[in-house]
């Protein structure tokens, strides 16, 4: 595990964008595992700028997102599908047919999870970008999830619902209570993993992930066993290391 501590969110975003741009420059047809949330926003903004400048092309890139809320359609402004289009896909030269995200309104969640798991198996990721939840979750794999899990539907924890309420006008009651997430075993199957974390609210989760026991109680702790895992964290998120 490589830990890079940077001063602030701007430096974290630049580090993550440069990391991903280097992967794409090296392998223009790479599959990228992508994440949502505030953590990758700055990174995505920079990738859009690199692409607009002609420094990088996503024309042959495929993407696989980690997760989606159950019950939100892709055109719902709170869905992760919408987030990805607005913050990345609509502003780069990627073919939308090569962008994948679980369908939160599939008639059968079980079949949708099986379909997505097949896709994850068929598209080896050159890198998986991750944020981290305040409770140590990765994707929507909440504490207690088996470390070898595959794509599945989850009940979100109260902690996660409260943490994500800010994206729903501050109202926890508006946050969907279920989601579909790539499993921990699938996250671990990416060739490289890049986790980014910013702010003091993430300090305990980062400490548990980096220094704690490898345990389902902190899903991100499993990353200690990955052969090529990098954390880029700002000083506040690193404050308990
Ligand atoms: C959500 C997402 C995670 C993300 C986490 C942290 O729960 N499912 O993939 O890592 O939030 O989000 P943020 O980056 O906004 O702190």
């Amino acid at each position: 595990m490589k830990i890079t501590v940077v001063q602030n969110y701007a430096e974290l975003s630049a580090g993550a964008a440069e990391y991903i741009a280097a992967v794409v420059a090296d392998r223009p047809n790479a599959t990228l595992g992508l994440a949502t949330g505030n953590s990758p926003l700055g990174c995505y903004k920079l990738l859009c700028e690199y692409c607009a400048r002609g420094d990088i092309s996503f024309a042959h890139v495929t993407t696989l997102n980690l997760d989606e809320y159950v019950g939100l359609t892709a055109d719902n402004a709170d869905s992760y599908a919408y987030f990805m289009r607005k913050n990345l896909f609509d502003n780069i030269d990627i073919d939308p047919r090569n962008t994948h995200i679980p369908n939160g309104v599939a008639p059968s969640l079980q079949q949708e999870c099986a379909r997505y798991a097949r896709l994850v198996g068929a598209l080896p990721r050159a890198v998986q970008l991750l944020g981290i939840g305040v409770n140590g979750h990765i994707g929507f794999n909440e504490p207690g999830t088996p470390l070898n899990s595959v794509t599945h539907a989850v009940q979100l924890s109260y902690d996660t619902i409260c943490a994500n309420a800010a994206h729903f006008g501050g109202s926890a009651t508006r946050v969907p209570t279920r989601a579909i997430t790539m499993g921990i075993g699938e996250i671990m199957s990416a060739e490289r993993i890049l986790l980014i974390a910013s702010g003091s609210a993430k300090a305990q989760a980062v400490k548990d992930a980096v220094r704690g026991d490898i345990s389902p109680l902190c899903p991100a702790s499993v990353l200690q066993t990955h052969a090529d895992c990098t954390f880029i964290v700002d000083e506040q998120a690193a404050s308990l290391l």
Side-chain angles (χ1 to χ4, degrees), residues 35-40 66-67 69 80 130-134 137-140 160 164 167 196 202:
T36 48
N38 289 328
S39 307
L66 282 170
D67 45 19
Y69 288 112
Y80 284 164
L130 295 175
I132 185 168
V134 286
H137 76 220
I138 46 177
F140 267 133
T160 297
N164 290 2
H167 301 291
I196 50 180
K202 300 291 174 72

Side-chain angles (χ1 to χ4, degrees), residues 148-167:
N148 61 355
S149 58
V150 296
T151 303
H152 60 292
V154 292
Q155 198 71 38
L156 300 180
S157 72
Y158 182 67
D159 283 352
T160 297
I161 289 172
C162 292
N164 290 2
H167 301 291

Side-chain angles (χ1 to χ4, degrees), residues 125 141 146-150 182-190 222:
R125 286 144 293 146
N141 293 283
L147 299 180
N148 61 355
S149 58
V150 296
M182 197 187 281
I184 299 175
E186 291 165 327
I187 289 172
M188 289 292 284
S189 70
V222 74

Side-chain angles (χ1 to χ4, degrees), residues 5-7 197-204 233-240:
V5 180
V6 295
Q7 271 191 335
S198 168
S200 54
K202 300 291 174 72
Q204 187 64 47
V233 293
D234 68 12
E235 282 175 357
Q236 289 187 330
S239 58
L240 298 177

Side-chain angles (χ1 to χ4, degrees), residues 5-150:
V5 180
V6 295
Q7 271 191 335
N8 52 39
Y9 183 75
E11 283 185 19
L12 173 151
S13 300
E18 280 158 24
Y19 184 110
I20 290 173
V23 169
V24 174
D26 185 47
R27 248 184 280 172
N29 62 350
T31 296
L32 306 176
L34 297 180
T36 48
N38 289 328
S39 307
L41 264 182
C43 164
Y44 291 162
K45 191 161 180 282
L46 287 170
L47 290 175
C48 295
E49 287 173 18
Y50 298 168
C51 191
R53 285 207 305 256
D55 293 347
I56 180 178
S57 171
F58 293 86
H60 303 290
V61 164
T62 297
T63 64
L64 274 173
N65 260 81
L66 282 170
D67 45 19
E68 179 60 283
Y69 288 112
V70 168
L72 301 189
T73 57
D75 56 6
N76 184 311
D78 292 323
S79 71
Y80 284 164
Y82 186 96
F83 173 101
M84 290 307 300
R85 288 202 308 278
K86 180 165 161 269
N87 294 300
L88 187 64
F89 301 150
D90 284 354
N91 314 314
I92 58 175
D93 59 347
I94 199 163
D95 182 340
R97 289 170 302 184
N98 293 337
T99 66
H100 304 286
I101 189 157
N103 176 5
V105 291
S108 160
L109 292 184
Q110 204 182 350
Q111 281 177 23
E112 174 59 9
C113 291
R115 179 194 74 85
Y116 206 73
R118 281 195 299 276
L119 204 54
V120 173
L123 293 169
R125 286 144 293 146
V127 60
Q128 176 66 57
L129 179 63
L130 295 175
I132 185 168
V134 286
N135 60 6
H137 76 220
I138 46 177
F140 267 133
N141 293 283
E142 298 283 30
T145 307
L147 299 180
N148 61 355
S149 58
V150 296

